[in-house]
Amino acid sequence: MSGKMGWGRRAARVLAACGRGLTQALLSQFAGVPLLVGSLLSIIFLPLGIGVVTTPLVLKGVRGFTGVQRRWAREWSGVPIESPYRVLPEPQGGLLARIDYCMRLVKDPATWRDLLWLGLNVPVGALLGVLPFALLVNGFGGILVAPFLVALTHAHHLYWILNIPLGALMLAVGLTGSPQIIKGHALFSSALLSPTRRLLSERVDSLTDSRSHVVDASAAELRRIERDLHDGAQARLVALGMNIGLAEQLIEQDPATATALMVEAREHSGLALTDLRNLVRGIHPPVLAERGLDGAIRAVALSMPFPVEVRIDLAGRPQAPVESAMYFAVAEALANVAKHSAASRAWVQLAHDHGRLVALVGDDGIGGADPAAGGGLAGVERRLAAFDGVLVVSSPSGGPTTITMELPCALSSPKT
Amino acid sequence: MRVVIAEDLTLLRDGLIRLLTAYGLEVVEAVDNGPSLLQALLHHKPDVAVVDVRLPPTQTDEGLRAAVEARTRVPDLPVLVLSQHVEQLYAKELLAAGGGGLGYLLKDRVSDVNRFVDAVKTVAAGGTVLDPDVVNQLLSRHSNNRVLQNLTLREREVLALMAEGRTNAGIASRLLITDKAISKHINNIFTKLGLLPHDDDNRRVLAVLTYLNEMVP
């Protein structure tokens, strides 16, 4: 396959590999080492207090750096590396919340695997990074400089003569193997920067668990819909038919009663519609169908008894089930704010980033929200878990409360 | 009075045509999708349009968007929007450009034939008719804002009924007080909202719009 590649493209590939290797070698020393040292010092100084401020900053740098490496591994060598981090709430103003945030960061196994990678990358990154460039330079040196020296010195020194085939060999390896060397570095990174097997098996467990929740929940939901239709709209439509039938009979001999029956029939039809409308809202809100998440969340925000600031940044629409799950999650979170928080204002942010749909719902209320206590937030947690999503609540007593909801998903291209 | 109707369900479309015709209105065109609606509105420039929010081809809010679009090209083109559900968001968008001749009602309201035809005529005459559900949502949910705090409870009730498109007599019979008392309340509302007598022709509409702008942030 590489035999069919043109010389120009092959040279470009080799040169790109050299440049990429050198970039990685330089970064492994000049960015990796300071980040590693900074992180370790910050974590060591956590008990002294200063680490509480610096740890999130340095670890953010580490995640940024390893994030770049993950992206490069995928883009340069086709080695996909998933992000292994646990979801964290945004750090809040309070000291306790900051400490809690640091501890969550430090307890995340992915943090330590990042740091281990940083350490090992000091030699590995330097070696693998410099190798393509070194092979080419030495190879050219061997075949171009050595014959010249042999001619110049007239010395039949074995060392110079041996240099020629050695140079040729290095050049050959350098020209054909450079992209593979870069791929080697990507594979090395993948070993440490990917989610661990345990993380994956935990995920399988939680998916199995959430699937059974979903099955139960949807069966219960269908029963509820059946019951609501049976007791509500269906019964009203029967009454409606009866009234109209009776009015038909009476219209000649007792027009007054017939009219009264018709009025009643009309009222029944109105009530049946209201029943159906409420039912539909619970299954799939019409405004969501018409406007997508953006409009539907704005509509919910408008209906809250306090001002809600909404910021939504979506370039397309998620798949319908994800969209619906996120809508109900945000709506429930806002309803929770209205019911329990005593907040005077709230805000909603929604964005799609790195394959995840992320919603933040915050308020300035009294805090103390806890999904473990059951109720609305626990329902949201289950609903999101069904899609491998997560709910993180940061709600210290006294407030403020921030609820982070994440769903992995892709966006379809924007509606034209 | 010339009417354009946009409704994609044949049963409802025929019902609307029959109903409006029975009350002496002339249905000049009845369409079943958004693009034809826009065309019909721009071509006929009807006295009033009765428009379903959800229309083909997208089956989303095509009707609403066609109505808003038509009103930017033909200012104050009277449009009564009907919907299976009502949203403050849609009310806000409809009214965003200002001007009268707008209505937004639940489809259910069609069954109260007299009031529905009144609403169509009110909109055609440049009035504003909002569904009681929208007005209730606004009233119950945003009760602590500037303009409303200056109004008495009774004045708020009157303003809400004005927003529903009722006449003075309609408001009087609903609140069980005299026409004269209603006029007094309405004058107080105008004063408190800073609407001066010289724009009397449209003060009712302006009052409702002020109220909505205040209610829907």
Side-chain angles (χ1 to χ4, degrees):
Chain A
M1 142 184 119
S2 60
K4 286 179 189 157
M5 201 182 288
W7 281 107
R9 272 194 65 191
R10 184 178 296 208
R13 253 171 62 116
V14 171
L15 281 179
C18 283
R20 289 164 178 177
L22 286 179
T23 312
Q24 271 174 339
L26 286 173
L27 284 179
S28 71
Q29 312 301 311
F30 294 109
V33 173
L35 279 172
L36 177 63
V37 174
S39 309
L40 292 176
L41 285 179
S42 272
I43 293 173
I44 291 166
F45 284 125
L46 265 181
L48 294 181
I50 179 80
V52 177
V53 181
T54 55
T55 305
L57 293 175
V58 196
L59 287 182
K60 198 172 174 191
V62 171
R63 290 188 176 192
F65 184 56
T66 53
V68 169
Q69 296 289 331
R70 287 188 188 91
R71 210 179 67 224
W72 282 351
R74 189 180 64 241
E75 288 172 3
W76 292 352
S77 309
V79 177
I81 308 180
E82 295 280 321
S83 175
Y85 304 111
R86 289 179 183 163
V87 177
L88 286 176
E90 283 298 302
Q92 298 293 322
L95 182 65
L96 278 174
R98 273 167 184 275
I99 293 175
D100 176 59
Y101 184 74
C102 285
M103 291 318 290
R104 282 167 186 266
L105 270 177
V106 171
K107 278 187 199 155
D108 188 344
T111 300
W112 294 97
R113 289 165 59 82
D114 274 4
L115 295 181
L116 180 62
W117 176 85
L118 277 180
L120 291 177
N121 194 44
V122 172
V124 177
L127 187 73
L128 291 180
V130 170
L131 202 54
F133 180 71
L135 283 170
L136 288 187
V137 168
N138 279 317
F140 275 116
I143 56 172
L144 296 180
V145 180
F148 179 67
L149 283 176
V150 169
L152 197 73
T153 56
H154 300 285
H156 296 272
H157 199 291
L158 191 65
Y159 171 75
W160 297 118
I161 292 174
L162 269 182
N163 245 343
I164 298 172
L166 194 64
L169 185 72
M170 281 181 168
L171 197 60
V173 173
L175 286 177
T176 53
S178 291
Q180 271 65 43
I181 295 170
I182 299 301
K183 189 169 183 178
H185 185 258
L187 291 172
F188 151 73
S189 302
S190 165
L192 282 170
L193 298 183
S194 290
T196 58
R197 279 187 83 82
R198 215 182 83 207
L199 198 69
L200 290 175
S201 77
E202 272 172 19
R203 197 172 288 173
V204 170
D205 285 349
S206 78
L207 281 176
T208 313
D209 197 37
S210 66
R211 192 184 56 180
S212 74
H213 277 309
V214 175
V215 172
D216 289 352
S218 62
E221 184 72 1
L222 281 177
R223 274 197 303 280
R224 184 186 68 78
I225 293 168
E226 190 273 338
R227 203 174 48 238
D228 282 1
L229 280 173
H230 184 265
D231 299 348
Q234 273 179 337
R236 289 195 198 285
L237 289 172
V238 171
L240 178 74
M242 271 166 39
N243 277 2
I244 294 174
L246 198 54
E248 229 169 24
Q249 298 297 315
L250 292 177
I251 200 152
E252 301 276 309
Q253 65 259 44
D254 188 357
T257 311
T259 310
L261 282 171
M262 292 305 279
V263 169
E264 204 177 301
R266 174 161 59 74
E267 280 163 5
H268 274 301
S269 80
L271 291 172
L273 276 172
T274 309
D275 280 354
L276 287 173
R277 188 157 40 239
N278 291 336
L279 200 61
V280 167
R281 239 184 241 282
I283 300 168
H284 191 76
V287 65
L288 182 61
E290 287 161 9
R291 288 293 176 88
L293 264 181
D294 191 313
I297 287 177
R298 282 178 204 283
V300 175
L302 275 180
S303 70
M304 288 290 129
F306 40 78
V308 181
E309 190 197 328
V310 182
R311 270 194 293 167
I312 296 180
D313 182 16
L314 292 179
R317 283 185 76 158
Q319 292 163 309
V322 172
E323 193 173 72
S324 173
M326 188 53 101
Y327 168 80
F328 280 110
V330 172
E332 182 63 42
L334 278 174
N336 230 40
V337 174
K339 261 187 261 170
H340 307 298
S341 76
S344 66
R345 55 193 313 112
W347 48 269
V348 178
Q349 270 183 42
L350 186 68
H352 186 264
D353 194 23
H354 291 101
R356 305 193 135 238
L357 187 61
V358 185
L360 300 174
V361 177
D363 68 65
D364 63 352
I366 54 172
D370 183 9
L377 282 179
V380 173
E381 197 167 28
R382 277 199 301 275
R383 204 186 268 271
L384 294 178
F387 294 88
D388 201 15
V390 276
L391 170 91
V392 179
V393 176
S394 157
S395 185
S397 190
T401 300
T402 310
I403 295 173
T404 311
M405 290 165 285
E406 282 207 9
L407 282 173
C409 77
L411 290 187
S412 68
S413 57
K415 204 172 64 176
T416 46
Chain B
M1 196 177 284
R2 296 160 61 255
V3 193
V4 163
I5 292 175
E7 165 64 60
D8 57 325
L9 299 174
T10 320
L11 204 62
L12 291 182
R13 188 170 60 241
D14 291 351
L16 278 173
I17 296 172
R18 193 186 307 162
L19 198 162
L20 292 176
T21 312
Y23 276 77
L25 283 75
E26 180 200 354
V27 177
V28 288
E29 194 172 347
V31 298
D32 64 359
N33 64 74
S36 325
L37 169 62
L38 188 57
Q39 244 173 14
L41 290 178
L42 296 177
H43 175 241
H44 295 290
K45 297 200 176 63
D47 297 314
V48 61
V50 178
V51 172
D52 185 12
V53 166
R54 194 184 286 196
L55 287 179
T58 58
Q59 287 294 358
T60 60
D61 55 352
E62 194 90 25
L64 185 74
R65 281 187 279 134
V68 170
E69 166 80 22
R71 277 174 65 89
T72 61
R73 303 218 211 148
V74 185
D76 292 335
L77 180 75
V79 179
L80 173 60
V81 172
L82 295 179
S83 176
Q84 210 67 260
H85 63 110
V86 289
E87 296 286 348
Q88 292 182 49
L89 185 71
Y90 292 177
K92 182 185 166 187
E93 286 176 3
L94 264 174
L95 295 158
L102 272 175
Y104 180 45
L105 290 180
L106 266 179
K107 268 192 187 164
D108 313 13
R109 311 292 174 206
V110 177
S111 65
D112 190 342
V113 178
N114 275 320
R115 274 197 61 196
F116 172 68
V117 174
D118 273 352
V120 174
K121 289 179 175 165
T122 305
V123 170
T128 307
V129 179
L130 284 181
D131 198 273
D133 271 15
V134 176
V135 176
N136 280 340
Q137 282 175 26
L138 292 172
L139 263 186
S140 62
R141 282 167 174 157
H142 295 269
S143 48
N144 52 346
N145 54 59
R146 280 185 297 121
V147 166
L148 284 192
Q149 267 165 4
N150 294 333
L151 301 180
T152 64
L153 189 64
R154 183 58 100 184
E155 284 161 1
R156 275 188 234 176
E157 285 173 348
V158 171
L159 186 52
L161 290 167
M162 276 168 67
E164 289 178 19
R166 288 175 197 252
T167 58
N168 285 14
I171 299 173
S173 73
R174 175 73 179 268
L175 295 181
L176 303 173
I177 47 180
T178 61
D179 273 19
K180 226 174 122 186
I182 296 292
S183 317
K184 213 181 93 206
H185 287 309
I186 291 181
N187 274 322
N188 286 341
I189 292 169
F190 288 160
T191 314
K192 287 181 182 176
L193 296 186
L195 300 167
L196 303 171
H198 61 74
D199 35 44
D200 196 51
D201 50 341
N202 233 339
R203 276 203 293 177
R204 247 185 131 79
V205 172
L206 287 176
V208 171
L209 287 178
T210 314
Y211 163 73
L212 279 167
N213 286 335
E214 194 64 28
M215 299 298 234
V216 186

